[in-house]
Amino acid sequence: MTPRSSTDPRAPLADVVALAALAWVAAATLHEGMGHGLACTAMGGDPTNWSTFHFGCNQEAMPLWGGRIVAAAGTAVNVILAALGWLVWRGSGSLRGRLAGWIVFALNGLTTFGYLVFSAVFGIGDWNGRGVMAGVTDPGLVRVALAVVGIAGYYAVVRLAAGMLSRVLNGEGVAAQARRCAVIVWMTTGVISLAAALAAGSDWRSTIGASIGVALGGNAGLLSMGRFVKPTAAASATTLSPSWLLRVAAIVGTVAFVAILGPGIAL
């Protein structure tokens, strides 16, 4: 039998896809449901509908500051998830746990700061003039500040995530492993988002926005991970065996995300 090359992936491709799918589905679902949804109810709003990338909230009886809290609550959930991902990566004694922690941290960290950049530059997302920035006296200055914070934070997440990945991978081809792993995660988020947009029956602009803008655009920082990873003695040489339970959970979660939340749920 030919010895396993050091540049081969240490986790089966299907398992990386499964971890990425579960992390992305959880991030999107909790961003809308736990973030915007709970904030809407807490601020006295009336929840109307819940879908993959939108939570409807009637804010007629809500003060301006309440609407801002509802808009910011989704990003707050991503911050919490990113922190939990980092804690899992730091505390897990298994390769699968550390890989899962890295994926959760990277996706939610990039989403957090990517939202700031998108809202500042394109005027879309939760931090635009109809969301967190609603009613501000100097929107131009606020947008510049959001862009600066977003770009700086995004770069910091990329560098930190690359360092985390360096301590998960092992071997002389660590940069190639990192690029392969990151591209798999990136493509998985795009495919799932595109499927959810198509399930919603949206027009092509909404479909492109959901699949490319939210997923492939917001998570594009994954594609630069290979530039910053470095071999480290702290990495384990363990190779994962396939996990069919993980793969089944990912399939069930993704199908539910696309088939149920894709078309949306009336509340």
Side-chain angles (χ1 to χ4, degrees):
M1 179 179 292
T2 303
R4 186 181 180 87
S5 167
S6 63
T7 60
D8 284 345
R10 295 169 54 229
L13 184 150
D15 283 14
V16 177
V17 172
L19 287 172
L22 287 172
W24 186 240
V25 165
T29 302
L30 294 176
H31 175 104
E32 301 298 343
M34 190 173 79
H36 297 313
L38 292 182
C40 175
T41 301
M43 293 295 105
D46 180 24
T48 58
N49 64 287
W50 179 11
S51 61
T52 50
F53 299 106
H54 176 72
F55 192 94
C57 177
N58 187 331
Q59 303 181 16
E60 291 182 359
M62 193 183 301
L64 181 61
W65 61 267
R68 291 173 177 169
I69 290 177
V70 172
T75 304
V77 168
N78 290 121
V79 172
I80 294 171
L81 290 175
L84 290 175
W86 183 83
L87 290 173
V88 169
W89 169 84
R90 187 172 184 270
S92 179
S94 69
L95 172 59
R96 183 171 282 111
R98 290 170 69 82
L99 184 59
W102 169 74
I103 292 174
V104 171
F105 171 82
L107 291 180
N108 285 280
L110 294 175
T111 296
T112 295
F113 292 103
Y115 249 121
L116 302 187
V117 177
F118 275 118
S119 290
V121 176
F122 300 108
I124 60 177
D126 296 333
W127 292 74
N128 64 12
R130 297 180 300 278
V132 179
M133 294 194 300
V136 298
T137 56
D138 194 346
L141 181 61
V142 174
R143 290 178 70 168
V144 170
L146 281 179
V148 171
V149 172
I151 292 172
Y154 198 89
Y155 179 75
V157 168
V158 169
R159 293 302 300 264
L160 181 55
M164 294 166 63
L165 190 56
S166 298
R167 299 172 70 88
V168 173
L169 302 177
N170 180 267
E172 296 178 358
V174 64
Q177 292 181 51
R179 283 193 294 269
R180 184 175 186 274
C181 185
V183 168
I184 291 171
V185 174
W186 180 72
M187 291 183 64
T188 299
T189 65
V191 170
I192 291 174
S193 299
L194 178 59
L198 293 174
S202 54
D203 60 25
W204 69 269
R205 291 183 179 84
S206 298
T207 301
I208 294 299
S211 60
I212 295 181
V214 176
L216 299 185
N219 295 322
L222 287 166
L223 302 181
S224 63
M225 292 287 172
R227 297 177 52 196
F228 302 113
V229 296
K230 297 179 180 179
T232 171
S236 168
T238 304
T239 299
L240 287 180
S241 58
S243 172
W244 291 102
L245 179 61
L246 175 65
R247 298 175 188 184
V248 170
I251 292 172
V252 172
T254 301
V255 169
F257 181 74
V258 171
I260 298 177
L261 281 184
I265 301 173
L267 301 174

